[in-house]
Amino acid sequence: MTDITIIGTGNMARGLAARAVAGGNSVQILAHGDKAKADALAAEFTGQVSTGVLGDAITGSIVIPAVYFDAAKDIVARYGDSLDGKVYVDITNPVDFSTFEGLSVPAGSSAAEELQKTTGATVVKAFNTTFAAALGAGKVAGQPLDVLVAGDNDDAVAAVAAFASAAGLTPIMVGPLRRARQLEQTGFLNILLSANEQLPQFQWNSALRFVPAA
């Protein structure tokens, strides 16, 4: 068994793996099809990192698919009952890329809630408001990243919060899983800022930070 399974080998997978290793976790990285990509990513880290491909047994108690929403749905369907009892962290922002004007989930729902309907894993929403480069570094402009966490199961939320804390991040529990609706809209706004070339200060290098009053 490992602590955390990350599915994917892209930039978000790299950032998540960096934080996981920094927090002292054992990590499993599963590539979509080319194990060499998982091996190459694992070689970037010093720590207990194993590799495989999508379809291999998931060994982590926390599972984080670093993929888009449609791919996440496919992963949930593919693994079926083998996800039961695991903590599934949904990091997706289900942007409707055909219009880039909204999200591609039913009104009054979220990607996280839609995934929870189809899996026996416990879904927790987190990391959807953090960009990959900032996640890899763990901070922006010297400020640690806030990780906004939503979920219905206290133990699962606590497990994700502990992962974030050990990685040097600041977890903020925002409420039940339905709060993922607000988190996904917030993530979309963050994407819109960075996709706007007229805002050079927000080119995929910014971060959300909630500063409490002293």
Side-chain angles (χ1 to χ4, degrees), residues 101-155:
E101 290 292 336
L103 303 181
S104 61
V105 289
S109 189
S110 65
E113 290 169 286
E114 293 302 303
L115 290 170
Q116 185 63 89
K117 294 175 183 178
T118 64
T119 181
T122 301
V123 177
V124 174
K125 190 76 182 187
F127 296 103
N128 74 296
T129 60
T130 56
F131 289 138
L135 191 57
K139 58 185 65 178
V140 170
Q143 296 289 317
L145 298 183
D146 286 345
V147 178
L148 308 181
V149 184
D152 292 334
N153 182 285
D154 290 344
D155 290 339

Side-chain angles (χ1 to χ4, degrees), residues 14-174:
R14 176 175 287 102
L16 288 162
R19 291 302 95 213
V21 171
N25 295 285
S26 56
V27 179
Q28 178 192 39
I29 299 174
L30 298 182
H32 288 288
D34 185 355
K35 185 174 180 293
K37 292 183 178 179
D39 293 338
L41 181 55
E44 297 179 20
F45 306 108
T46 301
Q48 187 178 341
V49 183
S50 61
T51 62
V53 295
L54 188 64
D56 290 351
I58 290 175
T59 60
S61 57
I62 296 176
V63 183
I64 314 178
V67 299
Y68 290 111
F69 179 45
D70 285 344
K73 291 187 287 186
D74 291 341
I75 288 169
V76 165
R78 179 169 192 161
Y79 278 99
D81 293 346
S82 64
L83 290 174
D84 290 2
K86 295 185 181 295
V87 177
Y88 180 109
V89 181
D90 173 40
I91 73 167
T92 65
N93 290 304
V95 177
D96 183 349
F97 289 106
S98 66
T99 64
F100 214 58
E101 290 292 336
L103 303 181
S104 61
V105 289
S109 189
S110 65
E113 290 169 286
E114 293 302 303
L115 290 170
Q116 185 63 89
K117 294 175 183 178
T118 64
T119 181
T122 301
V123 177
V124 174
K125 190 76 182 187
F127 296 103
N128 74 296
T129 60
T130 56
F131 289 138
L135 191 57
K139 58 185 65 178
V140 170
Q143 296 289 317
L145 298 183
D146 286 345
V147 178
L148 308 181
V149 184
D152 292 334
N153 182 285
D154 290 344
D155 290 339
V157 167
V160 176
F163 162 42
S165 292
L169 312 177
T170 304
I172 300 176
M173 278 61 78
V174 302

Side-chain angles (χ1 to χ4, degrees), residues 173-190:
M173 278 61 78
V174 302
L177 193 63
R178 65 179 179 272
R179 291 283 81 83
R181 303 169 199 175
Q182 287 74 47
L183 295 187
E184 291 171 12
Q185 291 288 355
T186 301
F188 180 40
L189 175 60
N190 208 16

